């Protein structure tokens, strides 16, 4: 049981009513200014060390069927400031204690003529700003429909951006690194194929959006606590370099049904002149509510393997048979079907994974393709696509439950919904009960394909509500959730720490779908990971997929050492060794790192960080005090220069370094690596060669 | 336990492949012709006693993203004919045995070029035709999206129609009686206000559509077995007097997602020169599958009262308090709220109804407004609007359960969903379990307001699927369903006899919302009731609503005798005495009929029938053998002339006749009635005066 530790809370409150207000970050580096303009429209601006970060930008919401909307004619009725400083202990995380320290400004605005009020709450942290709209209970504002949220983020220059195209249905894109002014030109070319996708503007991009200014400032725009509201995208006016919020619409094109009282998600702008501050920031989590799950003893980090990569690569199949053009659950008789001979989730194959996982100290094994329906699961907006409880004839639930239990392995359930969301909700209680009855306490859920009900999108309010429903219901059953293709996380794992993972970005699977950009993993920590952990599924040792899946010519754009480093650089309490046992058996010395590496941490130190180029982080394992280090590299060969000053002073350690060699090449020679042991102290320096798409990993063992 | 009684089944099968086929009804009165036209488009026509009923009309479906669609280029691959004759016993009904007797033609059609096939199955009964499209399992037709079903019904003249405007969301309209050519002119004027409504065409009308030709033929177009498909409307081409099917679209405008194998609902055309054949027909039921509920012992007809009319009329409220502008379930604290003093569903008031119901031999009491949320339930597409298990502070579930049980009364649950369909499904298991735990075995469900998810309609495929889900899930819990604002029934109560009622038309409540047309109840049996029973909620004794609800000036357009007759003329296994106890106590002699009348029948004899004008029916109570008779009258004073030859020959009966007097006037003197007793036999004739919007009811008691 973790307990919230309240270290220090000071609150100053005062009230005034002037038209402009300033707020400073606790360390004084950031200044936020709030003002009403001549139209009574709220505006804000942000400066970092006297440099403009956000120029004067408007705030407000356009309402449907409401002439005035919540855009102008405001006067300030009240302002309150406060300071908050508290340290809390996450259930799992990169660190064992998180400081939540900010200065706050809460401005109450009224439209006098129609007697309506809203409140804009700003929280200024050392790493950036969060703000949201609050609608307190009142007579003249009870329900409204959002036509568009009109939150602006006016950039101070033509920054370099690490962006993926705005899309209502997927985030599974490679990142583009361009000037803001170049987004439009790349436009739809950035929208690579996905089974469900819908753009909205040639300059639409997604959050979390990472940027770097010419002056060397690192900026990030994202949101926090996305609950019961559409997901926010950003649309760039590339004449003024101003982003405006662009919410995900529903089937009618509306952008949110709001019942007052209500608070929107937080809109966040992080800023620093040190990129490490961005990746280390816990601001997104701090803007979320504390855990609503009281007993968290059942929530545990997981290192797992899975019957998965063999299907992703095409070596085996989720489906059991090729006999049927369509499947009707409950009617199609699988016992009469001829097995296709390539089904992955057979009892025998799962036992092989269980054996390997148990022998090598893993916690769990994921099995996909175990339940009936996979012959016909996709692309037809089929309603009753899966029932989540009926196994294929060759998958023995009870036998595997007993077998895994005897070996100390947990099985991880897989619930692919095919985005038939109603069908999933109809079965969710039964499915969760089935899991608990058969020893499963974690589920990987999937939302592949277009959403049912038709007209809704993966990121519209209706479906955001569903993801949350699934998380909260899972918590009732003490089930951990790893949701794929769901909306990007926005720190709600603080409130619901059973959300131990999400996909919500381009994961390792794309290495088997043609490959990802070599520097992809150097951007994810600055974007996708800021809102919560990603089930990226690292650990691929065989980069040439055609070697074991002849019809797949994809190549994994990564060195083997890079794959090891990912266990550190892509933080997650849920880490997979995604490759197949036979590939690990070929490289037992490298595999040792995956066996050794922890998945939960007392502390983390970011040593080097540059989006798109490199990231180096050292982490101290929870409980054991053992340090591990990972470093990933982007497109160009480089030498990582670090000091090991995170190690305890006065102690000696053996550092086992898993690294690229000079011969390593992610395309032609990715499996070249070197493992060496050296003795180090907190004073040691390391200059480590990294291949393109390479890197290194280190485990430290104290010499006692 | 009812058992299916198989009396006689002959089947002739032969196969041929000519381009035209004829089929005759068992009695030979109706002839159906099928042919392919020059384009390979299937067509059919219908004749009754050599008169054209449906002129040559095209059949087929337009598919989305499919050039050829299922409209033309067909050749006949196979035809099969058969005869079927079977008698089955319904769980409840107007009769205790239903003969299902038809001749069948099944035509298999192929589009050779793309190797696709469909089958059109025609069943010709003595009362009319049913046909449907069938899509057998095949390689080149697995999934498709219906752009529009193109089924035509070409009328042979400018018939008189009894119609309500086509609408995707409501059937709660007064019927219009006009020539087909006059539909367009009346147009939107026929679309009286409803809280959820959406028209589609100035000549769009709903099924069941009743018509009468100049030659005195009675026609009806409807559908049967509407399952997992959008509800069909009809759009009239008023130059050619041809109706075409017009399915209810989804949020994207699509009209049905189909997975093959699949059968559409049946399209039905009833025809007779005797209007009584239409109202007596069981063709719609016969086109549905036999009961899928094996143990039906728990399904029982119900005569009930309810805490309902007092809220409908405005005398009391569903809501408990006026304190809150909005309500958030689980957050709003009702224990802190000031009661508004008008809440209907208080423990004390419900006990009053239970006492009265028990004293007068009723089975059950419905209570609406018992659960939290009614302060803020409507008009905002609110998602979490009700939880279906939390009572108001002044409604004691346990106490009332015990009280009702001790008095031999069942309480009927009320689940208003506010059309927040997902929310209902999320709570439905818990809600049904709560019902069973507290002694409820029937639920009145409601779907007031616009449907959530947005873009869906009350009659779109997605929501049709929901209604069915609720019925089948209720059956699992042995719960009977009475669904209001749901889609019109199409005979599925044969398959799921726990569907003991529906609203799906303008019921008595509209008498408190401004009043219905005086002849409304003379049309319902020819339209709405053909697909299944209606919870019309008759039995209003106080027509002047302002007398007890001062702010409501509505007047019930009916005489008191008419209200009694409705218990016979509007067949339902679920019959309400909808008025309040104090009104019944003022007319104990008339109320005696409601106490006496049965709700389940061994036999029914339609004696007089003319749509829009009158309907007279005699029914023999199940088990007791007692006869009852009801007669309703339309706009004009008339004398009903009947022979009592349904009575058992040689026996004498006392007939107690509850009738209008010469002074009765539904507007100015509706409560004038006369009760007289006469001795009758099967040879007796009766000439009974009926006021406009009046009628009479008779109970027969054998003299032994």
């Amino acid at each position: 049981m973790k307990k919230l530790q309240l270290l220090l809370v000071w609150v100053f409150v005062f009230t005034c009513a002037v038209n402009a207000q300033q707020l400073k970050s606790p360390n004084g580096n950031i200044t936020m200014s709030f003002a009403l303009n001549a139209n009574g429209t709220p505006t804000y601006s942000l400066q970092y060390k006297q440099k403009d970060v956000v120029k004067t930008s408007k705030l407000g919401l356009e309402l449907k069927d409401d002439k005035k909307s919540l855009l102008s004619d405001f006067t300030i009725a009240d302002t309150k400031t406060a300071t908050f400083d508290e340290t809390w202990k996450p259930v799992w995380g990169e660190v064992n204690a998180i400081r939540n320290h900010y200065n706050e400004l809460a401005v109450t605005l009224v439209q006098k003529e129609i007697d309506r009020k809203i409140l804009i709450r700003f929280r200024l942290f050392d790493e950036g700003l969060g703000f949201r709209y609050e609608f307190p209970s009142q007579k003249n504002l009870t329900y409204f429909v959002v036509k568009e949220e009109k939150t602006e983020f006016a950039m101070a220059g033509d920054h370099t951006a690490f962006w993926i195209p705005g899309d209502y249905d997927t985030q599974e894109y490679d990142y583009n690194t361009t000037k803001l002014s170049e987004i439009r030109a790349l436009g739809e070319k950035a929208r690579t194929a996905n089974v469900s996708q819908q753009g909205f503007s040639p300059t639409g991009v997604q959050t979390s959006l990472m940027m770097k200014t010419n002056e060397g400032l690192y900026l990030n725009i994202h949101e926090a606590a996305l609950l019961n509201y559409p997901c926010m995208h950003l649309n760039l006016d590339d004449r003024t370099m101003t982003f405006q919020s662009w919410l995900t619409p529903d089937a009618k094109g509306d952008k949110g049904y709001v019942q007052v009282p209500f608070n929107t998600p937080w809109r966040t702008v992080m800023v620093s002149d040190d990129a490490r501050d961005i990746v280390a920031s816990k601001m997104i989590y701090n803007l979320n509510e504390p855990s609503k799950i009281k007993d968290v003893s059942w929530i545990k980090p997981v290192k797992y393997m899975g019957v998965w990569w063999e299907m992703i690569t095409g070596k085996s199949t989720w489906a059991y048979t090729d006999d049927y053009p369509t499947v009707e659950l409950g009617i199609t008789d699988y016992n009469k079907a001829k097995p296709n001979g390539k089904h992955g989730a057979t009892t025998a194959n799962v036992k092989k994974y269980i054996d390997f996982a148990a022998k090598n100290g893993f916690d769990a094994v994921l099995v996909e393709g175990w339940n009936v329906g996979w012959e016909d699961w996709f692309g037809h907006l089929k309603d009753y696509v899966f029932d989540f409880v009926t196994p294929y004839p060759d998958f023995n639930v009870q036998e595997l439950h007993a077998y895994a239990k005897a070996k100390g392995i947990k099985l991880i359930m897989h619930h692919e919904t095919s985005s038939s969301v109603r069908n999933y909700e109809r079965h969710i209680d039964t499915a969760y009960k089935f899991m608990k009855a058969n020893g499963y306490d974690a589920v990987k859920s999937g939302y592949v394909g277009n959403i049912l009900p038709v007209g809704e999108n993966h990121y519209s309010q209706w479906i955001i509500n569903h993801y949350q429903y699934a998380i909260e219901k899972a918590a009732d059953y003490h089930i951990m959730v790893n949701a794929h293709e769901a909306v990007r996380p926005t720190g709600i794992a603080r409130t619901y720490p059973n959300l131990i993972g999400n996909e919500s970005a381009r994961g390792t699977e794309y290495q088997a779908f043609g490959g990802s950009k070599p520097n992809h993993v150097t951007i994810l920590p600055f974007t996708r990971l800021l809102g919560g952990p990603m089930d990226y599924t690292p650990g691929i040792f065989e980069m040439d997929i055609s070697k074991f899946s002849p019809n797949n010519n994809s190549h994994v754009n990564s060195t083997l050492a890079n794959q090891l480093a990912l266990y550190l650089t892509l933080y997650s309490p849920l880490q997979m060794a995604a490759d197949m046992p036979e590939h690990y058996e070929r490289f037992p010395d490298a595999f040792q790192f995956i066996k050794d590496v922890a998945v939960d941490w007392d502390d983390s130190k970011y040593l080097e960080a540059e989006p798109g180029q490199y990231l180096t982080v050292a982490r101290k394992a929870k409980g054991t005090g053992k340090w591990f280090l990972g470093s990933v590299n982007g497109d160009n060969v480089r030498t990582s220069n670090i000091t090991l000053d995170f190690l305890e002073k006065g102690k000696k350690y053996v550092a086992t370094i898993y690294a690229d060699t000079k011969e390593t090449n992610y395309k032609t020679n990715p499996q070249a690596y070197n493992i060496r042991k050296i003795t180090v102290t907190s004073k040691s320096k390391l200059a480590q060669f990294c291949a393109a798409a390479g890197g290194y990993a280190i485990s430290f063992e104290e010499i006692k």
Side-chain angles (χ1 to χ4, degrees), chain A:
Chain A
M1 281 284 298
K2 319 283 163 131
K3 274 197 183 160
L4 190 82
Q5 228 177 26
L6 200 65
L7 293 185
L8 189 63
V9 180
W10 301 335
V11 177
F12 300 97
V13 176
F14 67 94
T15 298
C16 65
V18 292
N19 268 338
Q21 288 278 324
Q22 274 206 344
L23 188 67
K24 282 197 175 290
S25 62
N27 65 5
N29 284 344
I30 314 182
T31 304
M32 195 283 296
S33 302
F34 173 83
L36 284 181
N37 71 13
N39 296 323
T41 296
T43 71
Y44 77 107
S45 62
L46 201 68
Q47 288 194 313
Y48 178 82
K49 296 182 181 174
Q50 282 75 54
K51 289 175 190 159
D52 280 344
V53 174
V54 179
K55 295 193 297 180
T56 299
S57 296
K58 292 179 191 167
L59 298 169
L61 294 101
E62 187 179 1
L63 309 190
K64 189 179 179 186
D65 303 327
D66 184 299
K67 275 186 192 166
K68 179 114 9 189
S69 282
L70 296 168
L71 290 169
S72 62
D73 299 306
F74 283 107
T75 54
I76 296 179
D78 186 34
T79 65
K80 287 196 170 66
T81 59
T83 290
F84 190 80
D85 191 354
E86 169 191 280
T87 297
W88 56 280
K89 290 192 167 290
V91 178
W92 42 257
E94 298 182 85
V95 292
N96 61 17
I98 293 175
R99 187 177 182 191
N100 185 10
H101 187 198
Y102 58 81
N103 292 326
E104 178 171 292
L105 169 67
V107 186
T108 301
L109 299 168
V110 297
Q111 289 173 321
K112 281 188 182 161
E113 199 186 318
I114 45 178
D115 190 19
R116 288 199 305 208
K117 69 179 168 195
I118 68 170
L119 189 150
I120 307 180
R121 189 179 301 275
F122 299 91
R123 289 185 178 166
L124 199 49
F125 301 79
D126 284 345
E127 318 99 89
L129 172 70
F131 63 88
R132 71 179 179 189
Y133 303 94
E134 300 185 2
F135 311 99
S137 189
Q138 56 195 292
K139 218 172 79 183
N140 292 339
L141 189 66
T142 54
Y143 287 90
F144 59 86
V145 181
V146 179
K147 192 169 172 188
E148 187 60 275
E149 183 181 317
K150 299 279 195 179
T151 301
E152 290 182 353
F153 305 87
M155 297 294 96
D158 187 10
H159 307 327
T160 297
F162 304 86
W163 60 275
I164 55 175
D167 199 301
Y168 297 151
D169 282 296
T170 186
Q171 296 135 215
E172 296 176 356
Y173 291 114
D174 259 322
Y175 285 92
N176 305 289
T177 305
T178 74
K179 292 284 182 188
L180 293 177
S181 57
E182 295 166 338
I183 291 176
R184 183 184 297 276
L186 196 53
E188 285 303 304
K189 274 180 279 182
R191 197 177 311 281
T192 46
N194 191 287
V195 293
S196 178
Q197 57 190 158
Q198 188 179 338
F200 56 84
S201 159
T203 55
V205 298
Q206 304 203 34
T207 75
S208 141
L209 175 68
M210 188 67 203
M211 287 170 283
K212 186 178 182 183
T213 73
N214 290 334
E215 295 166 306
L217 285 192
Y218 298 89
L219 309 186
N220 185 287
I221 304 178
H222 196 19
E223 66 178 313
L226 172 57
L227 293 165
N228 202 21
Y229 197 77
C231 175
M232 180 181 76
H233 295 78
L234 299 171
N235 193 40
L236 178 68
D237 179 337
D238 50 6
R239 293 162 305 155
T240 62
M241 299 304 162
T242 297
F243 288 105
Q244 192 185 278
S245 52
W246 184 294
L247 303 180
T248 308
D250 68 15
K252 281 187 167 173
D254 295 326
K255 297 197 162 182
Y257 285 82
V258 172
Q259 178 185 350
V260 176
F262 183 76
N263 304 327
T264 68
W266 297 90
R267 280 64 185 92
T268 62
V269 183
M270 294 185 199
V271 56
S272 180
D273 49 17
D274 185 337
R276 295 176 302 176
D277 292 341
I278 306 292
V279 284
S281 171
K282 300 293 172 283
M283 198 181 105
I284 301 281
Y285 280 119
N286 281 329
L287 288 168
N288 279 268
E289 296 294 313
S291 177
K292 293 199 173 175
I293 301 174
K294 281 182 188 143
D295 170 16
V296 294
S297 61
W298 50 275
I299 302 171
K300 295 181 194 305
V302 180
K303 199 195 293 183
Y304 75 106
M305 298 192 67
V307 181
W308 176 76
W309 187 241
E310 56 184 85
M311 284 92 86
I312 288 288
T313 53
K315 179 176 182 282
S316 61
T317 63
W318 286 271
Y320 171 77
T321 177
D322 299 333
D323 278 5
Y324 305 124
T326 67
V327 166
E328 276 188 278
L329 298 191
I331 292 168
T332 300
D333 186 353
Y334 281 99
N335 290 311
K336 290 186 180 157
K338 183 182 159 210
N340 65 13
K342 291 182 72 182
H343 184 217
T346 66
T347 302
N349 196 36
V350 174
K351 282 184 179 176
K352 188 186 86 175
Y353 277 84
I354 291 171
D355 290 344
F356 186 84
K359 194 175 75 179
N360 292 292
F362 285 82
D363 303 305
V365 170
L366 164 75
V367 186
E368 296 200 0
W370 67 277
N371 59 324
V372 296
W374 285 93
E375 291 71 19
D376 170 30
W377 70 286
F378 176 71
H380 300 291
L381 288 173
K382 182 179 180 177
D383 194 319
Y384 186 26
V385 57
F386 290 114
D387 72 3
F388 311 99
V389 295
T390 306
Y392 280 123
D394 59 352
F395 183 86
N396 190 320
V397 175
Q398 287 74 31
E399 184 180 339
L400 285 168
H401 177 197
Y403 191 83
K405 195 174 177 183
K407 298 252 178 180
I409 292 290
K410 284 276 182 186
L411 291 176
I412 298 179
M413 176 52 71
H414 184 228
H415 287 169
E416 175 54 51
T417 68
S418 192
S419 293
S420 183
V421 173
R422 178 173 69 179
N423 182 58
Y424 190 39
E425 291 200 4
R426 284 179 175 179
H427 291 85
I428 202 165
D429 273 294
T430 304
Y432 285 162
K433 283 176 192 162
F434 176 87
M435 282 177 59
K436 297 306 280 190
N438 291 291
Y440 295 79
D441 57 10
V443 63
K444 173 181 175 179
S445 57
Y447 296 88
V448 172
N450 289 326
I451 290 282
L452 266 178
V454 296
E456 294 295 337
N457 299 102
H458 278 75
Y459 310 142
S460 54
Q461 184 184 25
W462 180 264
I463 304 301
I464 301 289
N465 178 300
H466 161 76
Y467 302 135
Q468 191 60 27
Y469 177 77
I471 294 165
E472 294 182 28
K473 191 167 270 291
D476 293 342
Y477 287 96
H478 287 196
I479 286 172
M480 296 181 280
V481 174
N482 166 26
H484 280 228
E485 297 91 20
V487 73
R488 45 189 165 275
T490 55
I492 54 175
R494 179 182 180 190
T495 315
Y496 298 96
N498 66 319
L499 180 62
I500 55 167
N502 270 116
E503 185 181 44
S504 310
R506 192 173 170 98
T508 293
E509 63 183 5
Y510 278 85
Q511 300 280 24
F513 302 161
S516 291
K517 289 185 179 174
N519 74 339
H520 185 58
V521 295
T522 66
I523 301 174
L524 286 174
F526 293 91
T527 54
R528 164 62 185 78
L529 265 64
L530 294 179
M534 178 172 176
D535 185 32
Y536 182 80
T537 69
I540 303 303
F541 279 15
E542 180 50 79
M543 315 305 174
D544 182 352
I545 292 170
S546 66
K547 277 195 182 162
F548 59 94
S549 183
N551 295 323
N552 188 339
N553 292 317
S554 297
H555 181 86
V556 178
N557 294 323
S558 162
T559 72
L560 195 149
N562 174 283
Q563 290 291 315
L564 298 182
L566 296 176
Y567 290 89
L568 281 303
T569 59
L570 297 177
Y571 164 69
S572 175
L574 180 76
Q575 285 287 20
M576 188 179 198
D579 212 333
M580 293 176 283
E582 51 266 42
H583 296 153
Y584 292 130
E585 281 165 350
R586 282 169 46 206
F587 305 93
D589 55 353
F591 185 57
Q592 186 64 43
F593 181 79
I594 298 179
K595 290 169 65 173
D596 292 342
V597 69
V599 287
D600 201 15
W601 310 99
D602 273 331
D603 202 4
S604 292
K605 299 288 181 192
Y606 285 89
L607 308 178
E608 299 180 302
E610 184 63 31
Q613 297 191 34
Y614 53 81
L615 184 81
T616 306
V617 64
R619 303 192 195 271
K620 186 180 178 188
K622 191 166 269 180
T624 70
K626 279 193 189 175
W627 283 89
F628 294 85
L629 183 149
S631 179
V632 289
N633 187 29
D635 296 336
N636 305 309
V637 167
R638 75 181 277 268
T639 299
S640 166
N641 284 294
I642 58 174
T643 303
L644 306 184
D645 54 6
F646 52 87
L647 295 171
E648 209 175 323
K649 285 180 194 9
K651 288 189 175 171
K652 281 190 176 178
Y653 300 82
V654 174
T656 307
I657 304 175
Y658 304 74
D660 299 325
T661 70
K662 297 280 176 186
E663 288 69 43
T664 308
N665 181 296
Y666 79 87
K667 277 288 186 201
T668 58
N669 193 20
Q671 290 165 328
Y673 60 86
N674 172 271
I675 301 173
R676 69 187 197 276
K677 288 180 191 287
I678 58 173
T679 301
V680 296
T681 69
S682 65
K683 293 180 181 168
S684 303
K685 290 179 188 300
L686 182 69
Q688 178 61 49
F689 170 81
C690 299
Y696 61 100
I698 310 179
S699 60
F700 297 90
E701 187 83 36
E702 188 186 341
I703 303 172
K704 295 191 179 174

